[in-house]
Amino acid sequence: MQHEAHSAHAHHQMNHDGHEGHEGRHGHHHAPARASWAMAAQATLHCLTGCAIGEVLGMVIGTWLGWGNVPTMILAIVLAFFFGYSLTLRGVLKAGVGFKAAVRVALAADTLSIAVMELIDNGVIALWPDAMDAHLDDALFWGALAVSLVIAFLVTTPVNKWMIGRGKGHAVVHQYH
């Protein structure tokens, strides 16, 4: 991860991992960094991992239980947010941050990314002919899900690049890696 120099008028301090930081209202605040496409793709891939786990699990559970499309999609979205936040939370907690602060970091880092990813992913599945009615043993189920996740990744990566470039989104997690 790249850590760029902050503006000359900023007050600097060294944070717990030795990187120069910004002292803000709550201690650790980083100025916006130049966001590379690789950095944005890595952040999106991290988000996609949690979203895909939740999305696939939700779709499998809902389909297996014979639920209708709306409850299955709601379960998939809830689980996507849960697993997306959980992966970030795990890493931040591992860095020694308290639970409440770690939850705030995960919410700040992932909310927009997961929301965009879920909107695109579920939108593709909803619009794909017959995908909402496909069963677990149907290639259409898995094919539509895979394509929807790829499209969600492609749409969400520029969003993450924009956020990281403004010191938001996954930029708030970088200090804990």
Side-chain angles (χ1 to χ4, degrees):
M1 306 284 159
Q2 296 176 353
H3 293 276
E4 302 297 327
H6 302 290
S7 63
H9 67 276
H11 298 285
H12 294 91
Q13 69 178 18
M14 296 301 278
N15 63 24
H16 71 282
D17 63 357
H19 288 92
E20 198 171 80
H22 233 28
E23 185 174 8
R25 236 177 65 199
H26 300 291
H28 294 84
H29 171 70
H30 282 256
R34 264 186 304 154
S36 69
W37 283 106
M39 183 186 299
Q42 183 177 13
T44 307
L45 189 58
H46 176 268
C47 183
L48 179 70
T49 302
C51 286
I53 291 167
E55 189 74 28
V56 171
L57 188 59
M59 295 293 221
V60 167
I61 290 170
T63 301
W64 181 61
L65 293 174
W67 289 1
N69 293 337
V70 173
T72 298
M73 195 173 276
I74 290 170
L75 176 63
I77 291 168
V78 168
L79 290 176
F81 272 93
F82 174 78
F83 283 101
Y85 288 139
S86 293
L87 290 180
T88 297
L89 192 59
R90 189 181 115 230
V92 175
L93 287 170
K94 195 183 259 187
V97 176
F99 184 76
K100 242 173 111 171
V103 168
R104 284 194 303 269
V105 169
L107 291 173
D110 291 333
T111 300
L112 182 61
S113 182
I114 295 171
V116 169
M117 195 163 289
E118 286 303 295
L119 179 68
I120 300 302
D121 172 42
N122 286 286
V124 168
I125 291 173
L127 294 174
W128 191 305
D130 301 320
M132 293 293 288
D133 298 319
H135 296 281
L136 295 177
D137 60 353
D138 191 342
L140 177 60
F141 177 91
W142 297 104
L145 190 56
V147 170
S148 71
L149 290 171
V150 168
I151 293 171
F153 175 83
L154 294 173
V155 172
T156 307
T157 299
V159 172
N160 281 331
K161 184 177 187 304
W162 180 79
M163 293 285 289
I164 293 167
R166 281 150 188 75
K168 303 201 181 305
H170 271 262
V172 301
V173 177
H174 290 184
Q175 66 184 310
Y176 302 109
H177 291 293

